[in-house]
Amino acid sequence: MRLPKLRRALAATVAAAVLAGCGSTAASDSSTSAGTTRSSVADTTSAVSVTDATTVADALADNIEVDAGDTSYDEADVVDVSLADSSATSDSDAVTSEDGTVTITAAGTYRLHGELAGQVVVDSAADGVVRLVLDDATITSETTSAINVVDAESVVVVLADGSDNSLTDASTYDDTSEEASTGALYSTADLTIGGSGSLTVTGNANNGVVGKDGLVISGGSIEVTSVDDGIIGKDYLVVSDGDVTIDSVDDGLKSDNTTDAGAGFVLVEGGSIQISSQDDAVKGVQVLVSGGAIDVAGSNEAIEGSLIIIDDGDIELHSADDGINVTSSDDSAATDGTAGGQPGMGGGGMEADDSLNLVINGGTIEVWSSGDGLDSNGYATITGGDITVYGPTSDGNGALDVNGTFAITGGTLMATGSSGMMVAPSTDSAQGWIATALSTTAVAGSEVVITDADGTEIAAYTVAKDFASVVYSSADIEQGATYTLSVDGTEIAVTAGDAPAGGRGPMGG
């Protein structure tokens, strides 16, 4: 595996143990908003350096450089590789076939077509890109992965226009050593997948697609089904375009380098992503979203990372536990994550970890969670976007859960859920907010109308899930002013900026 190019270092390994804590009232005013100096327990419990990044661009400037491969090529340079049964034919000396294994040993562009009962191996020690053009190629292995990149400077998989391609691995691998491949499409080199064709990947033994360096998806229609993780890019996983569908038993999209500075990030810049996962749908040390569409139909936790920044995008999240969870990337240290929690406990009561931050600058975000809707064991800042949270119905969690300062300076937030662990934003937030607990639980389909002192309607929502609390913020709310919140005609007077009695808020530092 060749060394990645580094820019400035962002962070070392994450090792903080963060507990879901007890309740308080409103957010503390003593800490400042995201990106400024904060004092907290993180100084002694985390090895992560605090980043000032509050936008995706800021975060990327500190991360390792993304190496996106070029999917374009000169047709005159293409080497034809015809797959048939357990062998392949080609005029190139760089292509050999033996006992079901087709090996490519030099940089260049190779068009693979036909059906292979076996494996394609890329083992090119020389510099240069190995470009695999899949043009109606079906590769099925009964002993290992379908494609295994053992060595290359970088690899680009191009899905030919109009082509349908399939990669399927064995249900049990002959080689299970530490150096063995662990996915139907496996690469030790930087990997880019693009083009305009389609690719179906079936991971029967482990993962679907694995990049042990960086992984970029720049196009194509890609469908992954796996018994473990769907798509992994160790140093980074970038989706810039294409349609990606994942059905995984474990995590969906994941970047899992928690040891190297500036690595381990998932970046979604464009395209369309649909995920059904039994664990975390999108997971990285950082999760950065600047565009595209993310639809998580099912998950344990939909998005999880130590730093989550959303600048734009169309996002819908469904989770059995937290919708968005900002927590330590060290799984062994993480203690937050049991749906429903323990009676009387939840996030937001313990001191905040400076290495953990949630920033939402834009986009349309809809969260359906059985655990916390937006949960940060550190800090949270909302500067823009249209955010709707349908939070938990049990009192062990809340629609909002922030341990440190929870600042709102822009955007629109509507969060509903249970009232037992209710969190209100910081009282010194630049944008006004109202928060109230209901005397009884309102049923799904109830209409919430917010009016000002003159009777002018500020907002109206039909809430699609049972709820016993409401938190709302927009540019139309003036801190200190009185508003009327009506739930199916039952009115409640609320003062903007006042935490509800019995409510909770981040403790701050």
Side-chain angles (χ1 to χ4, degrees), residues 40-101:
S40 82
V41 71
D43 295 336
T44 57
T45 63
S46 177
V48 174
S49 300
V50 179
T51 175
D52 290 336
T54 57
T55 68
V56 170
D58 288 344
L60 291 175
D62 287 334
N63 288 353
I64 65 171
E65 185 177 0
V66 173
D67 183 9
D70 188 358
T71 59
S72 64
Y73 56 91
D74 189 337
E75 190 67 30
D77 296 331
V78 173
V79 174
D80 187 79
V81 181
S82 178
L83 309 175
D85 299 324
S86 59
S87 64
T89 57
S90 175
D91 293 334
S92 173
D93 292 338
V95 180
T96 61
S97 177
E98 183 177 359
D99 297 331
T101 300

Side-chain angles (χ1 to χ4, degrees), residues 27-32 405-408 425-431 433 479 497:
S28 169
D29 299 337
S30 61
S31 296
T32 54
T405 301
F406 179 13
I408 300 180
S426 300
T427 55
D428 62 348
S429 289
Q431 178 168 287
W433 53 266
Q479 214 76 321

Side-chain angles (χ1 to χ4, degrees), residues 263-334:
F265 60 92
V266 176
L267 169 64
V268 179
E269 298 177 308
S272 175
I273 301 169
Q274 297 181 328
I275 301 176
S276 179
S277 166
Q278 296 181 36
D279 203 347
D280 301 330
V282 183
K283 183 175 184 177
V285 176
Q286 299 177 6
V287 177
L288 311 172
V289 183
S290 61
I294 302 174
D295 182 0
V296 176
S299 66
N300 181 42
E301 292 182 332
I303 298 179
E304 180 173 290
S306 296
L307 172 66
I308 298 175
I309 302 177
I310 300 173
D311 284 351
D312 201 357
D314 188 358
I315 302 170
E316 181 172 337
L317 309 175
H318 294 255
S319 65
D321 197 357
D322 300 340
I324 295 178
N325 184 32
V326 180
T327 188
S328 166
S329 298
D330 182 357
D331 288 336
S332 65

Side-chain angles (χ1 to χ4, degrees), residues 423-494:
V423 163
S426 300
T427 55
D428 62 348
S429 289
Q431 178 168 287
W433 53 266
I434 60 173
T436 188
L438 310 182
S439 58
T440 60
T441 298
V443 298
S446 297
E447 184 179 24
V448 174
V449 178
I450 300 169
T451 55
D452 64 15
D454 297 327
T456 302
E457 183 176 296
I458 301 297
Y461 289 83
T462 299
V463 181
K465 190 175 177 181
D466 291 359
F467 63 103
S469 66
V470 176
V471 177
Y472 176 79
S473 178
S474 77
D476 295 324
I477 299 296
E478 180 183 351
Q479 214 76 321
T482 301
Y483 296 86
T484 299
L485 186 144
S486 171
V487 180
D488 283 342
T490 300
E491 296 184 347
I492 304 171
V494 292

